Amino acid sequence: MISFPLLRSYACALLLLAFLGSGGQAGAQVEDPSGSRNADITELSIEDLMNVEVYGASKFSQKVSEAPSSVSIVTSQEIKKNGYRTLADILRSVPGFYVTYDRNYSYVGVRGFGRPGDYNSRVLLLIDGHRTNDNIYNQAMIGTEFILDVDLIERVEIIRGPGSSLYGSNAFFGVINVITRRGRDLKGNEVSGEVASFNTYKGRLSYGNRHQNGTEAILSGSAYDSKGDRLYFPEFDPAVSTDPRATNGGFSDNGDYDRSQKLFSTVAFGDFTLQGAYASRTKGIPTGAYGTDHNDARNKTVDIRSYGDLKYEQSVSAKIDLTVRLFYDYYQYTGDYAYFMTSGVMNKDQANGTWLGSEIKFVSRVGDKQHLIVGGEYQGSFRENQQNYDVDPYASYLDDVRRSRIMAAYLQDEITFSKSLILNAGVRYDHYSTFGGTTNPRLALIATPADKSTVKVLYGTSFRAPNDFELYYRYPGTSVANPGLKPEKITTTEVVFEQYLGDHLRALVLGYYYQIKDLINYGTDDVTGLSQFQNLEEVTAKGSQAELEGKWANGVEARISYTVQRTKDQLTGDPLSNSPAQMGKLVLNVPVMKEKIFLGMEEQYVGRRKTDTRPDGSWDFVSGFYLTNLTLSSIGIMPRLEASVSVYNLFDKLYGDPIPYQDFNLPATSNPVMTIQQDGRSYRFKMTYAF
Amino acid sequence: MRSFTKIVHGRSATLVLSVLLVLCAAVSAAAEALSEEQVKAAFLYNFAKFVAWPAGAFAGPHDPIVFGVLGKDPVGDAVQGLSGRTVQGRAVVVMRYQRVLDVKVCHVLFIGRSEQDRIEDDIQTLSGTPILLVADSEQFARRGGMINFVLERNRVGFEINLESMKRSKLVVNAQLLKLARTVY
């Protein structure tokens, strides 16, 4: 008998063939020069024409194929058509990316690298060019903790590979740049409401416009409230577990709640753009993480993040553009951890960060052949505080106060030798007050041997500066700080081949080899015998990826990709934990009714992954899984109303994500939580009205 | 330790198949949206409504208005469809040109993708003549062309070089300038 996952992959392949056939035909029809349908659209005014969404070959903008990396773009339309709720949902759909959720934060995995226990510090997350990774954990927040409401995203650009030559730290495996909607995209007010499974509600009110005098503004506020699921943990079921915290039949009744409030605004006047963002998110921790009490809704984290960013853009001359940026950032984290069952206290873990920065950048076209970028950055962190204490009786375990600064300068030159050969070379020097200097180059050779083919050969290095948590966090009797940590280093070689097939299909094949050195992980301090972050590991990662993307004039869009990757810890020879060797993705958007109703279908496959290693050296495997999501959306049935219905995990697939072994503070349990079960089938209904 | 065993639902397979059937049906029944080329042709038609040509550009009050396409471009076929309509009381005639020297009597000229490498020479050759020069090429308006299409967020917009238009004695309606993304 054919197993079900196999059957499903056959079905997907058949489906792909089916739509390639019919889509291709439809495309041919549109190119029919009879012009019969031109009759309709020439009657439209220019203003109306400017609002018509078009599908065509040049939608694959030239810039993507000329970029010195492999780039994926997810647009606001795709976000709507596929019912993506968070940036994490968006990243899950991107070839080669996977997301792990521990029911507290979401973590992005790239190139087979998503180690449990690491924060999202090896991917740089930008909003309109503003760095969002904070100054204590350097974490890219991608789940409900993301500072921006997903509805305000115009598009997301995912740039794979090392980006330190332009962006500095954290651009280790890639850069995610989120471009927000502008006032002109709204032209008035928008109100949006969502109802979803697990008693989830969301509301948003936005205003945006561009005025005659050129001033443009967008202002938006949203609130989100989810009660969350009632979750079962066999590890805490008194019937099958001897864990001292086992209670309530293993159920966590009210612990999975998730609440957030977000504000966002961009105002553009003349050459200035001022952007402000604020988000506060409270997430219950239902998993008994860090040895906390089971089924106690007081376990939670609160993350408050905000920033203000003032950008000045000016053409100094016909050939030189200048950008100056000033920013102020704030981050506060508070974790409430209930230990009443084991030690009778409430423990609080806190971090406070404030930083100021500036950036100056010149972009210059030297003749037609060269495109030069020169820039400098300064970032001063004047608060980087970490605290840990018991509330009652009060006992302080950590009170760490720091300051630091970063200075950097970079240079990138893109030289067009001929129409078919471009060299992109860049280098950046960063100086950290913590560890000193690091220089990171990138070289990219982009050849276009034929009209529709592009070959890119890429070489580069990147770094990740040790974050404050790794440098200074310590807990008496358990761990000691290591202020002498060096940055992690990665050296990468990558080859990308892109081929356009006719006007509607794009194929991409890539292969990469990464060498990572001085990877930071928990080790043992020689002096005290306590655990400590150390530059311990060396890892190699290699893999390849194939993508096929199609966009047709009839509105059918599809992308299918398959990724094979291997990671290897050079010390042990084992693959890394939470590193799927295989992944597959299918995204298919089909108009059911002309420009009015769309069906979005997603199929995701993540291969089996190792869990984290227990103190005794053992680990398990988490089975691979297939996920299917469906969204039916109406964008034009009523002129000002958009509505959508989504089903996530359509087949109610039971699957889990590996989390770190972290019960190190606790009386040892033989059965620690190593895997967190993910949501089963769930629904969302959403309506947006513009007025 | 929970284990996540593969669960095979017979029911699920049926569901998948029915979803596939629905999708395939949907794909083949999918109505066609507008192609970028058609939208651009419609733009060209509209531009002509907002531009006034100098006195000598037309021989007589009832002479046709000539829409030209220079070189090869998918937009060309869509422009062909404009033939027979009227703008400013003049019948639209569509001409295709292989080389820039073939362009003689023309009012709106779309410079096709195949001219990419020669575009600056083309601008040079045609500058000063009362022809509205439109292209779809980065930097076209900046380099002395008149109107350039830009594709942003799946929508077609345009930028205008007012200086070039003035040089060719073309008068552009303020309405059109207001809608341009950039005016050089």
Side-chain angles (χ1 to χ4, degrees):
Chain A
M1 192 197 135
I2 301 171
S3 78
F4 180 51
L6 199 59
L7 178 70
R8 207 184 296 188
S9 19
Y10 280 130
C12 286
L14 277 176
L15 177 66
L16 188 75
L17 284 175
F19 87 77
L20 287 185
S22 55
Q25 272 169 20
Q29 278 162 22
V30 168
E31 277 160 28
D32 179 9
S34 68
S36 56
R37 279 181 311 114
N38 279 342
D40 310 319
I41 65 165
T42 48
E43 299 303 324
L44 294 177
S45 72
I46 289 194
E47 263 174 308
D48 290 337
L49 282 171
M50 289 177 80
N51 282 321
V52 171
E53 200 172 339
V54 295
Y55 307 91
S58 60
K59 186 169 180 180
F60 303 110
S61 99
Q62 203 60 33
K63 293 214 169 62
V64 172
S65 50
E66 283 181 4
S69 315
S70 110
V71 177
S72 293
I73 290 179
V74 180
T75 64
S76 59
Q77 289 300 315
E78 291 166 68
I79 294 172
K80 283 178 192 170
K81 288 174 186 169
N82 295 301
Y84 300 141
R85 298 157 292 186
T86 58
L87 183 60
D89 275 353
I90 295 171
L91 296 176
R92 270 190 195 99
S93 77
V94 171
F97 279 64
Y98 58 108
V99 172
T100 309
Y101 179 49
D102 64 4
R103 296 201 173 272
N104 191 0
Y105 299 101
S106 296
Y107 309 91
V108 61
V110 198
R111 304 293 202 214
F113 214 96
R115 293 193 313 175
D118 285 351
Y119 296 103
N120 275 337
S121 57
R122 292 188 193 87
V123 171
L124 177 64
L125 176 59
L126 307 169
I127 295 180
D128 294 327
H130 179 94
R131 170 184 279 265
T132 69
N133 299 56
D134 66 80
N135 69 341
I136 292 161
Y137 306 98
N138 298 157
Q139 185 177 3
M141 300 205 171
I142 58 165
T144 53
E145 67 274 18
F146 182 42
I147 192 166
L148 189 72
D149 185 325
V150 166
D151 289 356
L152 301 175
I153 295 177
E154 180 57 39
R155 66 176 191 279
V156 183
E157 300 172 348
I158 295 111
I159 304 150
R160 295 181 186 78
S164 286
S165 67
L166 210 50
Y167 297 103
S169 184
N170 308 118
F172 204 73
F173 289 116
V175 178
I176 300 163
N177 191 13
V178 175
I179 315 289
T180 62
R181 292 169 76 191
R182 296 175 299 179
R184 73 189 75 162
D185 301 321
L186 274 89
K187 288 204 190 84
N189 300 291
E190 221 174 72
V191 59
S192 181
E194 290 178 33
V195 183
S197 303
F198 316 123
N199 281 307
T200 303
Y201 305 92
K202 188 186 147 194
R204 172 177 63 87
L205 187 63
S206 309
Y207 163 80
N209 222 332
R210 180 162 67 158
H211 299 284
Q212 293 290 336
N213 62 10
T215 308
E216 187 167 12
I218 184 167
L219 181 66
S220 183
S222 356
Y224 173 84
D225 191 336
S226 176
K227 183 173 182 289
D229 205 358
R230 183 171 187 250
L231 301 163
Y232 172 69
F233 294 88
E235 296 86 346
F236 301 128
D237 184 348
V240 291
S241 171
T242 55
D243 192 296
R245 300 168 291 159
T247 174
N248 200 36
F251 281 97
S252 172
D253 288 335
N254 296 307
D256 195 27
Y257 57 90
D258 191 343
R259 294 191 279 265
S260 71
Q261 297 85 40
K262 293 177 188 180
L263 291 171
F264 180 77
S265 168
T266 309
V267 180
F269 43 97
D271 299 325
F272 290 94
T273 306
L274 179 65
Q275 187 169 89
Y278 166 89
S280 165
R281 188 203 63 153
T282 304
K283 180 70 186 71
I285 310 170
T287 57
Y290 311 109
T292 51
D293 296 347
H294 170 64
N295 193 35
D296 188 328
R298 285 172 291 187
N299 288 314
K300 67 174 184 201
T301 57
V302 180
D303 289 274
I304 299 173
R305 180 79 175 83
S306 68
Y307 71 81
D309 185 295
L310 180 67
K311 193 168 64 177
Y312 171 76
E313 286 168 302
Q314 169 73 45
S315 290
V316 181
S317 74
K319 298 204 157 167
I320 301 176
D321 293 331
L322 164 73
T323 308
V324 181
R325 186 191 283 278
L326 288 173
F327 55 86
Y328 170 85
D329 277 73
Y330 174 80
Y331 176 58
Q332 186 190 58
Y333 145 82
T334 311
D336 287 7
Y337 299 102
Y339 291 96
F340 295 103
M341 288 174 176
T342 45
S343 47
V345 292
M346 170 65 87
N347 180 268
K348 289 217 182 211
D349 197 43
Q350 287 184 337
N352 273 288
T354 314
W355 62 107
L356 268 172
S358 63
E359 185 184 356
I360 181 162
K361 183 168 82 173
F362 289 95
V363 178
S364 167
R365 287 165 297 278
V366 186
D368 284 342
K369 304 291 179 206
Q370 285 194 57
H371 205 92
L372 198 68
I373 302 177
V374 183
E377 258 184 74
Y378 173 85
Q379 186 183 309
S381 262
F382 51 88
R383 188 161 56 179
E384 301 173 28
N385 300 353
Q386 298 184 83
Q387 273 142 12
N388 187 288
Y389 58 92
D390 286 344
V391 177
D392 185 27
Y394 180 81
S396 172
Y397 302 106
L398 172 74
D399 191 0
D400 190 73
V401 177
R402 302 281 162 179
R403 277 163 176 265
S404 71
R405 50 134 203 81
I406 306 162
M407 287 188 289
Y410 57 89
L411 175 74
Q412 181 180 291
D413 195 10
E414 191 179 272
I415 308 164
T416 308
F417 289 115
S418 73
K419 202 183 158 221
S420 57
L421 191 66
I422 298 171
L423 174 72
N424 187 306
V427 65
R428 174 167 159 142
Y429 174 78
D430 283 80
H431 189 275
Y432 277 68
S433 58
T434 47
F435 66 81
T438 171
T439 305
N440 292 276
R442 179 171 67 182
L443 268 178
L445 204 58
I446 301 149
T448 322
D451 197 23
K452 292 186 163 179
S453 319
T454 309
V455 181
K456 302 177 189 178
V457 182
L458 315 160
Y459 167 85
T461 73
S462 261
F463 76 102
R464 181 181 77 87
N467 61 38
D468 276 26
F469 178 68
E470 291 157 341
L471 287 167
Y472 309 123
Y473 197 89
R474 59 197 178 274
Y475 197 88
T478 307
S479 63
V480 288
N482 186 0
L485 283 174
K486 291 182 292 182
E488 297 179 345
K489 277 290 240 180
I490 186 168
T491 307
T492 70
T493 313
E494 192 156 347
V495 178
V496 183
F497 176 68
E498 239 180 299
Q499 175 74 46
Y500 289 90
L501 307 157
D503 284 341
H504 305 289
L505 279 178
R506 181 184 78 123
L508 184 147
V509 181
L510 65 82
Y512 64 88
Y513 181 72
Y514 287 2
Q515 283 172 290
I516 304 158
K517 275 190 189 164
D518 293 332
L519 205 61
I520 297 170
N521 204 354
Y522 264 114
T524 308
D525 177 31
D526 292 340
V527 183
T528 59
L530 298 174
S531 70
Q532 181 188 46
F533 279 110
Q534 294 174 343
N535 291 102
L536 270 185
E537 277 174 282
E538 230 179 278
V539 172
T540 56
K542 57 187 171 186
S544 59
Q545 187 166 303
E547 283 174 54
L548 186 64
E549 189 176 9
K551 287 176 181 174
W552 288 272
N554 59 8
V556 175
E557 300 180 342
R559 188 177 62 216
I560 188 163
S561 70
Y562 199 76
T563 311
V564 181
Q565 54 200 13
R566 297 277 182 280
T567 52
K568 188 174 162 190
D569 184 324
Q570 294 298 99
L571 284 177
T572 62
D574 291 328
L576 295 182
S577 52
N578 193 22
S579 177
Q582 297 183 68
M583 282 191 293
K585 311 252 161 120
L586 170 70
V587 183
L588 179 59
N589 292 323
V590 180
V592 178
M593 207 176 129
K594 183 180 178 177
E595 282 186 67
K596 288 193 167 71
I597 300 182
F598 296 87
L599 183 65
M601 181 198 154
E602 264 195 302
E603 187 72 26
Q604 296 170 353
Y605 169 72
V606 176
R608 75 170 189 174
R609 295 169 285 173
K610 260 178 67 180
T611 63
D612 201 3
T613 310
R614 297 188 190 87
D616 64 4
S618 68
W619 71 73
D620 297 314
F621 278 108
V622 186
S623 304
F625 61 90
Y626 286 87
L627 272 193
T628 309
N629 302 324
L630 279 183
T631 293
L632 195 64
S633 55
S634 142
I635 291 176
I637 287 233
M638 287 171 72
R640 295 166 166 277
L641 190 69
E642 289 178 5
S644 69
V645 184
S646 305
V647 188
Y648 307 96
N649 193 357
L650 178 68
F651 300 108
D652 206 13
K653 176 77 188 165
L654 189 67
Y655 72 106
D657 279 341
I659 59 157
Y661 174 85
Q662 55 190 1
D663 290 353
F664 41 79
N665 275 335
L666 198 88
T669 59
S670 57
N671 192 21
V673 179
M674 299 289 279
T675 314
I676 296 291
Q677 192 180 320
Q678 301 296 304
D679 287 342
R681 187 189 302 120
S682 70
Y683 303 89
R684 184 185 76 163
F685 177 65
K686 174 170 178 168
M687 276 171 96
T688 304
Y689 182 70
F691 60 102
Chain B
M1 184 72 240
R2 271 158 303 145
S3 64
F4 298 95
T5 48
K6 286 177 190 157
I7 298 167
V8 181
H9 297 286
R11 213 159 38 105
S12 313
T14 327
L15 247 168
V16 166
L17 285 175
S18 33
V19 166
L20 290 180
L21 279 175
V22 168
L23 282 175
C24 292
V27 169
S28 39
E32 289 157 27
L34 300 170
S35 79
E36 194 179 320
E37 290 75 30
Q38 288 171 316
V39 171
K40 283 178 180 165
F43 263 103
L44 286 178
Y45 179 74
N46 265 284
F47 291 152
K49 294 181 186 168
F50 290 95
V51 171
W53 277 263
F58 295 94
H62 302 294
D63 270 28
I65 180 166
V66 179
F67 279 68
V69 178
L70 175 60
K72 278 208 235 162
D73 196 290
V75 173
D77 293 336
V79 173
Q80 203 76 49
L82 298 173
S83 158
R85 338 200 100 252
T86 55
V87 183
Q88 300 187 2
R90 296 172 187 278
V92 172
V93 170
V94 178
M95 300 281 285
R96 309 289 289 257
Y97 308 107
Q98 298 278 327
R99 298 170 305 143
V100 67
L101 294 174
D102 299 338
V103 181
K104 297 283 190 272
V105 179
C106 183
H107 302 100
V108 180
L109 181 70
F110 182 77
I111 303 176
R113 210 180 283 168
S114 63
E115 292 292 299
Q116 201 73 267
D117 294 339
R118 292 180 291 273
I119 209 149
E120 278 188 83
D121 295 339
D122 293 349
I123 294 171
Q124 206 85 63
T125 312
L126 297 167
S127 100
T129 61
I131 303 174
L132 181 67
L133 303 177
V134 187
D136 186 356
S137 161
E138 216 183 327
Q139 306 278 325
F140 177 71
R142 208 184 257 256
R143 287 170 174 174
M146 294 177 195
I147 300 186
N148 187 35
F149 287 122
V150 283
L151 192 65
E152 207 177 24
R153 298 155 196 233
N154 297 350
R155 289 170 177 84
V156 179
F158 57 92
E159 37 186 41
I160 296 184
N161 186 330
L162 198 54
E163 282 304 307
S164 306
M165 292 189 74
K166 279 184 185 156
R167 225 176 297 135
S168 294
K169 303 202 166 52
L170 298 177
V171 181
V172 59
N173 187 309
Q175 192 82 28
L176 193 64
L177 285 179
K178 220 168 67 190
L179 294 171
R181 293 259 159 88
T182 319
V183 177
Y184 294 104

